[in-house]
Structures are given as C-alpha cells and as structure tokens.
C-alpha cells in the first residue's frame, strides 16, 4: 500500500458545486483507466440493499468495538447497523447512484487516475504513480468519515515530494488550498 497526501480545495454545503469542482479537477488529469473507491457510513438497511445493487464488490465492518462484525464473518450487514462500507475499483459512472443510495449519510468518493498534468511554472513534470486522486467527502470533513458535517469537502491528492502541486491544481480551477496537507491511505 502507498500513501498520497491530500489537501482541501473547497468546502461547501452545495453537493452539486462540490461535484462540479471535482469534475473540473478531473478534466485536468489523464484519466484513462480511471476507477473509483467508495467509503460510506450506512445506517439503514434500504441503503445497504441499494448499494448491493450498485457495487460489484464491497466490504463492510460494524462500528464500535463492542459489536465486532464484518464481511469477513459472512454475516448480514443489516443485522449490525451502523456499518462502514468500502468498495474499490468501481466504474466512474456509478458515482451518482452511490451518492443517491447513501443519501444524507457520510461518504467519500475517491477518483483514482493515471496522472496530473505537467506544472512547468513550479518545476514539476507529469505527476502520478500513486499520487493522483480527487476525493469528495460528502457530509464529512475528513477522508475517514470521523468528522461528520453538513457540508462537503473536495481534496486533491499529490505525492508528498510534490506538495506544491496541490495549490497549483487548486489555482487551475480558480480556488486555493486550505488546511494542512494530510497523509491519505490509498
């Protein structure tokens, strides 16, 4: 496993605006072979049913040390709500259905793609190889869903040694970075 470093570029209560910014950032990138990772906190069995129809493969685990259960146990997640659900390598066209299924719950959509463009103004060539992502945290302020919120945050991910790429990317879509550059488990 490798790690990227993420920095926030937008926080807004408007999910449509957050998705628009994410798509503008993706338009800068080389997105051939792009896939999406989803993470969600699920509180309702209806959401689990909808997710099972959307996601080709997923794992889940119950929240709380006093209620240990997971997909490793072959249990029914509906019997252990609330649960966290994670799914890797999903098709980008499933994002809207995923967000609809999760509803007002906290979730993360992370687009994984080939590379960021060259940034000659700051001395950087094409960036990528485990450092090219865009994440959208919905109803959460952090990448791990530990800080619930009523707004949404868009992050750009870069390699730590190319940290200056984050503000450069934000500027390309008319924004500025804020907060710290944080390590993200990919």
């Amino acid at each position: 496993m490798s790690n990227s470093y993420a920095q926030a570029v937008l926080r807004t209560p408007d999910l449509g605006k957050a998705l628009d910014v994410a798509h503008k950032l993706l338009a800068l990138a080389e997105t051939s072979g792009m896939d999406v990772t989803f993470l969600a906190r699920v509180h309702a069995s209806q959401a689990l049913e909808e997710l099972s129809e959307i996601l080709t493969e997923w794992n889940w685990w119950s929240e709380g040390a006093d209620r240990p259960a997971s997909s490793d146990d072959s249990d029914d997640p509906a019997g252990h709500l609330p649960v966290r659900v994670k799914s890797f390598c999903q098709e980008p066209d499933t994002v809207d259905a995923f967000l609809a299924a999760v509803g007002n719950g906290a979730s993360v959509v992370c687009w994984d793609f080939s590379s960021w463009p060259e940034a000659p103004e700051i001395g950087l060539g094409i960036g990528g190889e485990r450092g090219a992502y865009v994440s959208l945290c919905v109803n959460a302020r952090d990448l791990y869903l530990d800080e619930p919120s009523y707004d949404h945050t868009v992050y750009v991910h870069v390699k730590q040694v190319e940290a200056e790429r984050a503000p450069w990317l934000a500027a390309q879509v008319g924004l500025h970075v804020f907060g710290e550059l944080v390590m993200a488990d990919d």
Side-chain angles (χ1 to χ4, degrees):
M1 176 175 286
S2 70
N3 298 98
S4 64
Y5 286 77
Q7 194 156 24
V9 300
L10 176 73
R11 182 163 291 139
T12 177
D14 183 342
L15 181 57
K17 182 176 181 177
L19 281 165
D20 184 53
V21 166
H23 289 293
K24 286 178 180 178
L25 288 163
L26 292 170
L28 299 172
E30 168 52 55
T31 58
S32 60
M34 180 169 60
D35 63 43
V36 182
T37 296
F38 297 121
L39 175 64
R41 294 178 82 185
V42 180
H43 296 271
S45 57
Q46 178 66 31
L48 283 173
E49 289 175 30
E50 291 178 27
L51 288 172
S52 70
E53 294 173 13
I54 298 163
L55 305 175
T56 55
E57 191 174 314
W58 50 293
N59 296 310
W60 66 271
W61 60 98
S62 61
E63 293 197 311
D66 60 328
R67 312 169 19 323
S70 72
S71 48
D72 293 339
D73 302 325
S74 300
D75 286 337
D76 177 8
H80 300 281
L81 293 170
V83 297
R84 287 188 187 226
V85 170
K86 189 163 193 174
S87 183
F88 296 96
C89 301
Q90 296 296 310
E91 292 295 322
D93 64 0
T94 59
V95 170
D96 290 339
F98 169 80
L99 292 174
V102 174
N104 291 329
S107 62
V108 176
V109 176
C110 183
W111 291 267
D112 179 0
F113 45 88
S114 300
S115 63
W116 287 119
E118 286 185 72
E121 307 91 320
I122 57 172
L124 293 175
I126 293 173
E129 190 61 34
R130 306 307 310 154
Y133 306 93
V134 171
S135 289
L136 168 59
C137 299
V138 177
N139 297 316
R141 293 252 171 123
D142 68 294
L143 297 166
Y144 305 105
L145 306 180
D146 294 328
E147 191 178 338
S149 177
Y150 292 104
D151 53 20
H152 321 292
T153 305
V154 177
Y155 288 87
V156 293
H157 295 246
V158 297
K159 293 179 183 178
Q160 186 180 25
V161 298
E162 296 181 352
E164 63 271 19
R165 187 182 302 275
W168 182 85
L169 287 165
Q172 302 312 298
V173 296
L175 299 170
H176 302 280
V177 296
F178 61 93
E180 298 294 320
L181 190 69
V182 295
M183 187 170 65
D185 294 332
D186 302 327

